[in-house]
Amino acid sequence: MQLSYGNKKILQIAIPSIVSNITVPLLGLIDVTIVGHLGSAAYIGAIAVGGMLFNIIYWIFGFLRMGTSGMTSQAYGRHDLNEVTRLLLRSVGVGLFIALILLALQYPIEKVAFTLIDTTDEVAQLSALYFRICIWGAPAVLGLYSFAGWFIGMQNSRFPMYIAITQNIVNIVASLCLVYGFNMKIEGVAIGTLTAQYAGLVMAYLLWIRYYGNLRKRIEWHSFFDRQAMYRFFKVNRDIFFRTICLVAVTVFFTSAGAAQGEVVLAVNTLLMQLFTLFSYIMDGFAYAGEALAGKYIGAGNRRELHQTVRRLFGWGIGLSLAFTLLYGAGGQAFLRLLTDDEIVITTAGSYFYWVLAIPLAGFSAFLLDGIFIGATATHLMLRAMIVASGCFFLIYYGFKGTMENHALWMAFITYLLLRGVLQGVLGRKILGYYSFRQKQPAK
């Protein structure tokens, strides 16, 4: 079956984004694999703790990617190359400013973090060493968020994919050389990660110079801090920031609530959440396509293509959700056995597995509408839906915790996913009416 032009455009953005998403956890997996052969479990614990800490820190500032993507795609649709250029400079500038704050506050951040994290003295010491080295990668990581969002807004998800693959290669080579060539142990792994992060930033800049270098002549430093433009930039990113805080709160609470029920329940929840994570990598790719294409057609004033793109995205979402439900139903237990051979954990997981089967159909619309809302820069509506869904998550869990225990946690999580999609769907019906579309020929 031959795909339509619109579906090809979706896949051209979605597939490289999916590859990029899958490569992200490989950076941490590579570090764990290397330290796993150093002869002490404390090294693995240190990487796990340090990685978790940086995931939380950087996740909070993910608005640099999402906000940049939505606003850039709209400027691209309007063919406003001056604003396209300003948006990249503005985003990178804000990212570097935040990175400098993180570097200046690294000591209190470290103290607070390791006061809250309960671990052994050896793991805490090694984690602190890992943190003190990797925190210097903040400018690179936040700068890459801005470049990735800008590239996606320019309808180009291939460059973030190339950068992610390059980072993994550099990380492997640098870490192996430092650990086994110079006997540096965990500091070698940290420096290897740091090297990979800056290699990615350098590559992003070189790709921009090579393929978008003609935009340099459009740099207007006097308009960089335009009051109205900066207000819109921070307004959109403020909504995404608080939405991310809600998302992090739900995710961290899910893990801690499972841990409070014992090691077996924690292990079961961790394994089952891998199936959610796998599904999220795929749907996030289509969400990125929604960011890029919805923003482009809104910027171009092309109502017809916007409507058709939304319909096509939901067609992909429904199809993939049904496919994942069938896949998990048929092979989910076999997948769990690949992750662990602990029969107690596998048997216990079976009691909760039907919740996993509900994830694809309950959650796909939340992912897709996140992307469409970001492309439309209707982030205030996305935030409202997230606040209500997050509040319901906690109400359901505490309301049913006494009688349903871990089932209450999963019921709350599935309801949270479903509510996000339903609420955004209701609010999203109005999005198309919020824009004064100009009469234009369909943008290609």
Side-chain angles (χ1 to χ4, degrees):
M1 184 179 72
Q2 189 172 4
L3 292 172
S4 67
Y5 175 81
N7 281 312
K8 288 179 180 178
K9 294 295 293 181
I10 290 173
L11 291 179
Q12 284 172 3
I13 298 172
I15 291 176
S17 298
I18 292 168
V19 174
S20 298
N21 290 340
I22 292 172
T23 62
V24 169
L26 288 180
L27 282 170
L29 181 61
I30 291 164
D31 289 349
V32 170
T33 302
I34 292 173
V35 300
H37 293 84
L38 293 181
S40 173
Y43 290 114
I44 298 176
I47 293 294
V49 171
M52 177 193 69
L53 180 56
F54 281 112
N55 284 341
I56 293 174
I57 291 172
Y58 293 141
W59 201 359
I60 290 172
F61 299 111
F63 63 80
L64 288 168
R65 189 209 64 74
M66 291 182 279
T68 303
S69 171
M71 288 183 280
T72 301
S73 61
Q74 289 190 20
Y76 177 85
R78 295 193 303 270
H79 304 292
D80 187 349
L81 296 182
N82 289 332
E83 181 61 12
V84 160
T85 308
R86 287 193 292 264
L87 279 165
L88 178 61
L89 295 175
R90 200 171 289 136
S91 182
V92 171
V94 171
L96 292 179
F97 178 73
I98 293 171
L100 290 176
I101 293 176
L102 290 175
L103 291 176
L105 298 178
Q106 60 179 285
Y107 181 76
I109 292 173
E110 177 189 335
K111 287 300 178 185
V112 171
F114 289 103
T115 298
L116 297 175
I117 297 173
D118 184 18
T119 186
T120 65
D121 290 341
E122 185 179 5
V123 170
Q125 183 179 0
L126 292 172
S127 299
L129 176 59
Y130 183 84
F131 173 84
R132 290 168 196 157
I133 295 172
C134 286
I135 190 64
W136 291 96
V141 173
L142 299 184
L144 275 171
Y145 280 1
S146 298
F147 271 106
W150 190 84
F151 285 139
I152 291 170
M154 296 293 286
Q155 320 296 297
N156 182 353
S157 61
R158 292 174 294 107
F159 284 3
M161 178 184 70
Y162 298 155
I163 292 166
I165 293 172
T166 300
Q167 282 185 287
N168 278 284
I169 294 172
V170 171
N171 189 36
I172 292 172
V173 174
S175 296
L176 287 175
C177 288
L178 292 170
V179 171
Y180 295 107
F182 294 89
N183 197 31
M184 295 182 70
K185 297 192 176 179
I186 198 166
E187 60 266 36
V189 172
I191 295 172
T193 299
L194 192 67
T195 303
Q197 290 166 343
Y198 278 99
L201 182 63
V202 169
M203 183 176 180
Y205 176 72
L206 293 177
L207 286 171
W208 187 83
I209 289 294
R210 173 66 177 83
Y211 293 95
Y212 300 98
N214 61 321
L215 295 178
R216 284 181 292 180
K217 63 187 178 184
R218 297 180 178 273
I219 295 176
E220 300 172 347
W221 295 106
H222 67 277
S223 60
F224 178 78
F225 292 107
D226 177 79
R227 180 176 297 180
Q228 185 175 357
M230 289 297 287
Y231 173 78
R232 179 172 182 253
F233 182 86
F234 282 109
K235 182 174 181 293
V236 168
N237 287 313
R238 177 203 63 194
D239 295 336
I240 298 174
F241 173 79
F242 286 114
R243 175 257 186 192
T244 304
I245 293 293
C246 293
L247 194 153
V248 170
V250 169
T251 303
V252 172
F253 182 86
F254 185 95
T255 301
S256 63
Q261 299 178 61
E263 292 181 357
V264 173
V265 171
L266 174 60
V268 166
N269 287 355
T270 301
L271 291 178
L272 293 180
M273 282 300 285
Q274 301 309 305
L275 297 173
F276 168 73
T277 302
L278 177 62
F279 177 70
S280 72
Y281 288 155
I282 305 300
M283 293 313 302
D284 267 339
F286 286 88
Y288 290 178
E291 293 176 25
L293 295 172
K296 171 186 173 182
Y297 294 128
I298 286 171
N302 193 335
R303 183 191 295 268
R304 183 178 67 83
E305 281 298 325
L306 176 61
H307 287 190
Q308 291 184 358
T309 297
V310 171
R311 285 198 293 270
R312 292 183 188 115
L313 284 169
F314 270 82
W316 283 103
I318 293 170
L320 288 168
S321 297
L322 292 173
F324 268 90
T325 301
L326 294 174
L327 178 64
Y328 287 166
Q333 292 288 343
F335 179 76
L336 293 181
R337 290 186 180 277
L338 288 176
L339 300 178
T340 182
D341 56 4
D342 189 321
E343 287 299 328
I344 295 177
V345 172
I346 293 173
T347 302
T348 306
S351 303
Y352 303 99
F353 202 78
Y354 59 88
W355 293 114
V356 173
L357 296 180
I359 285 175
L361 288 171
F364 82 92
S365 63
F367 286 97
L368 294 179
L369 287 169
D370 277 349
I372 294 166
F373 274 51
I374 289 169
T377 59
T379 50
H380 60 295
L381 301 179
M382 186 170 69
L383 174 61
R384 290 179 196 173
M386 176 61 85
I387 289 173
V388 174
S390 300
C392 288
F393 169 85
F394 290 104
L395 287 174
I396 291 172
Y397 175 68
Y398 283 110
F400 292 90
K401 174 186 175 185
T403 56
M404 296 180 65
E405 297 181 329
N406 196 48
H407 286 286
L409 187 61
W410 277 101
M411 182 171 68
F413 184 71
I414 297 299
T415 305
Y416 151 82
L417 288 177
L418 183 62
L419 268 179
R420 280 173 56 194
V422 170
L423 292 173
Q424 288 184 113
V426 172
L427 296 171
R429 291 186 304 173
K430 300 179 181 180
I431 283 182
L432 302 181
Y434 285 168
Y435 299 92
S436 177
F437 284 94
R438 301 181 302 276
Q439 297 298 316
K440 285 190 174 185
Q441 294 299 317
K444 298 294 185 182

